[in-house]
Amino acid sequence: MDKEERKIINQGQEDEMEIYGYNLSRWKLAIVSLGVICTGGFLLLLLYWMPEWRVKATCVRAAIKDCEVVLLRTTDEFKMWFCAKIRILSLETHPVSSPKSMSNKLSNGHAVCLIENPTEDNRHGIRKYSQAESQQIRYFTHHSVKYFWNDTIHNFDFLKKLLYGVNEIAVKVPSVFKLLIKEVLNPFYIFQLFSVILWSTDEYYYYALAIVVMSIVSIVSSLYSIRKQYVMLHDMVATHSTVRVSVCRVNEEIEEIFSTDLVPGDVMVIPLNGTIMPCDAVLINGTCIVNESMLTGESVPVTKTNLPNPSVDVKGIGDELYNPETHKRHTLFCGTTVIQTRFYTGELVKAIVVRTGFSTSKGQLVRSILYPKPTDFKLYRDAYLFLLCLVAVAGIGFIYTIINSILNEVQVGVIIIESLDIITITVPPALPAAMTAGIVYAQRRLKKIGIFCISPQRINICGQLNLVCFDKTGTLTEDGLDLWGIQRVENARFLSPEENVCNEMLVKSQFVACLATCHSLTKIEGVLSGDPLDLKMFEAIGWILEEATEEETALHNRIMPTVVRPPKQLLPESTPAGNQEMELFELPAIYEIGIVRQFPFSSALQRMSVVARVLGDKKMDAYMKGAPEVIASLCKPETVPVDFQNVLEDFTKQGFRVIALAHRKLESKLTWHKVQNISRDAIENNMDFMGLIIMQNKLKQETPAVLEDLHKANIRTVMVTGDNMLTAVSVARDCGMILPQDKVIIAEALPPKDGKVAKINWHYADSLTQCSHPSAIASEAIPVKLVHDSLEDLQMTRYHFAMNGKSFSVILEHFQDLVPKLMLHGTVFARMAPDQKTQLIEALQNVDYFVGMCGDGANDCGALKRAHGGISLSELEASVASPFTSKTPSISCVPNLIREGRAALITSFCVFKFMALYSIIQYFSVTLLYSILSNLGDFQFLFIDLAIILVVVFTMSLNPAWKELVAQRPPSGLISGALLFSVLSQIIICIGFQSLGFFWVKQQPWYEVWHPKSDACNTTGSLLWNSSHLDNETELDEHNIQNYENTTVFFISSFQYLIVAIAFSKGKPFRQPCYKNYFFVFSVIFLYVFILFIMLYPVASVDQVLQIVCVPYQWRVTMLIIVLVNAFVSITVESFFLDMVLWKVVFSRDKQGEYRFSTTQPPQESVDRWGKCCLPWALGRGKKIPKAKYMYLAQELLVDPEWPPKPQTTTEAKGLVKGNGPRSPHHSTAASRSQRRR
């Protein structure tokens, strides 16, 4: 039954969910209603917070096909529950989906083949629904996506193909009332409401009022920020959501409609002056220049061309279906700006709508912002655990109070109030506000240094980062490339490299013609723009580009070609002197090349090509440029130099970006019209290899210094790039990511082929080309050191793995057990596609790294979102995907963010520890006073909670971050040995000194049970003091607040709050010292002076308000001594014993490899020696296994003789069995000796 009832929706996608069917049960509803009445509505709240319980408590299981309610659970690590109600849609009442109009829409224009694979399903669906016209469709909505029941697969599916709905990305801004209800029903506010009601019944009006005011301020500020985010997102989406668009109808009629009425299959006309796309559409006519910065982060205009011959393709290749990813060069994405269009005479630029609303690329981006994945962080999990501990402590107090009150025959009403009061004291109501303060201050400091944050909770997580991935181009290196030089080929031989391309000798060469024509540059408002690489090459030759105007284009029956020509001064003999020269002058004056057809750059093909014609030539030319290996494979072998591979490797090893050029004369039978319809493959073959362009990608000035800072702080750095492998390795060496003496092992993984299993060939980077003595390399001391361990121990060589995207995919699929080992040492990942970058981040997180990602937002969106801390260096809208955005496009923001993250994290710890101590101190004060049937007075509570606690908490968080990154890392959770020891030791000290004061006062010779006429002070002045209290006598007696014990406990505990605040306000190594936090210092000094003053020199009016009684001066001095000794013990234990001894133990294993190795001592021994002498029970040092997987793995690999793999060996995947043990797949012995030939 269970298996049958559970289905999976969105299988294999990020939002994959399990789905269960339920029907409402009347008898269950009746029982729950009764429970709600009996618990005074609390059960209702509990069911509101827990969707799973709500459904299970009110419904019974049912078949998904016929259910009324669905229960959804995410399949990721969070296992979150959602529920949704099934709704019914009647087909006959829904005009959009009526079968007739549907089929019309589908068969209109070329739409039949283009609706994202679904045609057959559509026809089948339409046929089926037309049979039963009154058919009802069942659906539910979850996270803005509608899921319809699909009979063919017996599951819910988002059948976009059948029912499209309105084309809009609706970000509804919830009403203030809705947001208020949602916010107020937070468990914490419910607890505060309970506390306020309780205090009001006990006449603690002032304190209750203070908490109400605090809660209101907190709720209002929270509502304001939530609503502001909704409004911002709504405005970002709504600006382009409704526009008027022209649509082609049957018989080529043009109809103007609102963009909200667009459905997939509509043929949309793109206006001449451009537009902002309201949907995803694929071009079928003409060309568009588009700014895609909204999606990619790159403001470089992109040329989009029409889909190659849809009609021919559909008949010819039946299985090739349109896909927005593979055909993105022909797809106009929602939210992107069409800057200008190019068109044919009489033919408009047309595009077919393929996706609308939330299904579009922009819609998916908005959904990911609206419904983000929760951030799982140990600090927050531990905080809940800590609160549970406080609740347990409160439970003990609750029971003690009841028993004590019964024994002393107290009234039932008072017992109930006092016992519940203990709970409200133990769980501090100001905790959320206190925890938020530190993060808000950190956010403000980040803003000052130009880092903007849209997810404040992640600031704390950034304090834990121990690995940062960097994109290369535009992040580590300068954005643009500089032309270093060219190396031409003549007669299949490389000529020597030349620096200057802009000279008279080369002006008419095919090489320069290729540079002049093979690009996607265009003029926008008179300015040349396009890919920076193309721009650099075009500028290097100094040519001029001219585009046809709209008028000229309209005169011709095809697109007027873009024309390029050299400047006159470059052409030889430009002054006439005689007949011969005159001819020469005329010829160059009209030397220009027209670009007839463009095949845009495709990252899948790694090349672009153009067909061009020199004015006056009969034959056309094809030019191609791209990745050297790809270009060489498409050229005639006899035109490629023999030493091509060596020359290429020499350049890439030096970190140059190399691009190859090729050319071929086309047959004269190829006319202009034929070229417009010819396929790409027919042009891109049989070319002549022309040579190489060598581009230099300079490192940004600050890169090496920033990386060195990170390495000193034991933060590992990894490069993730779309560039060539050897170039990436070279840049990694240049910037210090890989040190000169480190070995680089290249993992080249090959997928299974022809019945053979997948395998990995291992090469050592420097031995790729010259490896004359493989045995010598193999017998070298193979490095066994973890990357970036302690910098002192460089005598042992370290090693790094490098691989490309293809190898990475093969390893993920076939070598699961090798992935963690490669993650431990992988430093360079080249030719990585955007989704592979995200997979890499996940793989690193799986071995317990806290991963940061720094990219320029171009193709790093997924990775930036997935990382614990993603920093985008692009200020464009794509940075909406990233929690952090840096105003300055420099990686110096990374150490700044980590420093601020660490400061915020330590602040959170300080505040949490302080709040825990505050509640325990107050809890113990009240428990002691309950034992004599007394309590703290209303104004005493008010003074402690408002004047001391709130002031201290909000100023305590103001310490700025420490100036530099240090090698230690703050602990990640509250439940760590050092922090627990800190809290427990302070609790014991505070309880000890409070008890001392409480019991010692009873031993004083002047002590008696206090009554209004008591006069322990023995002074005449006290008569006036006492007389002022006689008015309140009856009221005071009722609660028994005024007594010597109360006064003693009040003064000692007031000082204890301040002592603990100072003890916990840690400065170095993560925050600036406490004394630099002027607000905090001033507040604490002021409070100390004030409390000291009212203790030593009582002021009658203050004593009356605070309900303090007069005690002899000698006892006041005694209390001062108790407080001073308490301060000395607390600060000594926290600052010296804890910092000198315990934190060193915790931090000694916080190095990158977790342990520091030396040749003489086993890694664990030094740690254990400390552990044995310093409370092993508190630190949990008994176990030798490190907590983080990567540390455990590092220890394992130290003793693994098979690791790292030897050079020139091969590792084969295991047959059918997936690797499940910690051992690596077996090395094939036959392959281990054979040297792989290139």
Side-chain angles (χ1 to χ4, degrees), residues 286-334:
T287 314
C288 289
I289 292 157
V290 185
N291 181 340
E292 291 192 328
S293 61
M294 199 333 265
L295 290 179
T296 62
E298 284 179 349
S299 53
V300 174
V302 185
T303 305
K304 302 277 185 174
T305 55
N306 57 319
L307 257 190
N309 308 342
S311 52
V312 177
D313 277 6
V314 170
K315 288 170 196 160
I317 315 164
D319 58 350
E320 193 189 355
L321 291 159
Y322 165 75
N323 179 310
E325 272 312 298
T326 47
H327 297 102
K328 67 177 173 197
R329 276 285 168 187
H330 314 293
T331 307
L332 305 170
F333 292 105
C334 179

Side-chain angles (χ1 to χ4, degrees), residues 128-288:
K128 193 175 71 188
Y129 287 122
S130 56
Q131 288 163 6
E133 285 200 1
S134 61
Q135 174 92 35
Q136 291 180 323
I137 299 183
R138 312 174 71 254
Y139 74 96
F140 68 89
T141 307
H142 174 67
H143 284 180
S144 303
V145 173
K146 284 182 179 167
Y147 295 86
F148 295 91
W149 176 256
N150 184 346
D151 259 340
T152 49
I153 58 167
H154 296 288
N155 195 356
F156 281 95
D157 182 14
F158 46 118
L159 281 170
K160 303 187 289 263
K161 356 179 173 162
L162 203 59
L163 302 133
Y164 298 113
V166 180
N167 170 34
E168 64 174 348
I169 301 167
V171 178
K172 290 195 179 83
V173 179
S175 66
V176 175
F177 180 71
K178 260 189 183 174
L179 281 173
L180 181 70
I181 295 297
K182 205 173 173 183
E183 188 67 20
V184 169
L185 292 182
N186 177 318
F188 210 88
Y189 289 124
I190 296 296
F191 176 71
Q192 285 191 335
L193 181 69
F194 162 74
S195 306
V196 166
I197 293 167
L198 183 73
W199 293 325
S200 302
T201 56
D202 202 18
E203 295 169 17
Y204 281 8
Y205 298 122
Y206 301 108
Y207 187 39
L209 185 69
I211 287 298
V212 166
V213 168
M214 257 175 57
S215 300
I216 288 171
V217 168
S218 170
I219 289 170
V220 167
S221 64
S222 175
L223 285 188
Y224 174 74
S225 62
I226 292 171
R227 193 172 159 83
K228 190 177 163 191
Q229 278 183 332
Y230 268 113
V231 169
M232 266 172 62
L233 191 60
H234 176 267
D235 292 350
M236 183 187 111
V237 173
T239 40
H240 330 304
S241 66
T242 311
V243 288
R244 289 195 79 85
V245 291
S246 301
V247 181
C248 275
R249 294 296 186 212
V250 191
N251 309 329
E252 294 295 314
E253 285 174 22
I254 305 287
E255 183 188 341
E256 272 221 347
I257 60 167
F258 282 112
S259 59
T260 44
D261 297 330
L262 286 171
V263 292
D266 277 341
V267 178
M268 181 182 163
V269 177
I270 311 292
L272 295 182
N273 52 353
T275 180
I276 289 166
M277 289 301 294
C279 58
D280 285 0
V282 60
L283 265 180
I284 50 166
N285 269 359
T287 314
C288 289

Side-chain angles (χ1 to χ4, degrees), residues 982-995:
S982 165
V983 170
L984 291 172
S985 60
Q986 293 300 333
I987 287 175
I988 292 164
I989 293 164
C990 291
I991 286 177
F993 282 100
Q994 259 197 63
S995 308

Side-chain angles (χ1 to χ4, degrees), residues 611-612 619-622 664-670 675 682-683:
V611 175
K619 291 184 179 179
M620 295 194 195
D621 299 271
R664 138 182 183 210
K665 272 264 183 238
L666 296 176
E667 304 80 39
S668 50
K669 64 176 184 186
L670 269 178
V675 166
I683 298 286

Side-chain angles (χ1 to χ4, degrees), residues 32-50 53 185-188 190-191 194:
V32 168
S33 307
L34 191 68
V36 169
I37 295 162
C38 294
T39 56
F42 182 70
L43 180 63
L44 192 66
L45 275 173
L46 203 62
L47 296 179
Y48 168 77
W49 294 326
M50 314 289 281
W53 294 7
L185 292 182
N186 177 318
F188 210 88
I190 296 296
F191 176 71
F194 162 74

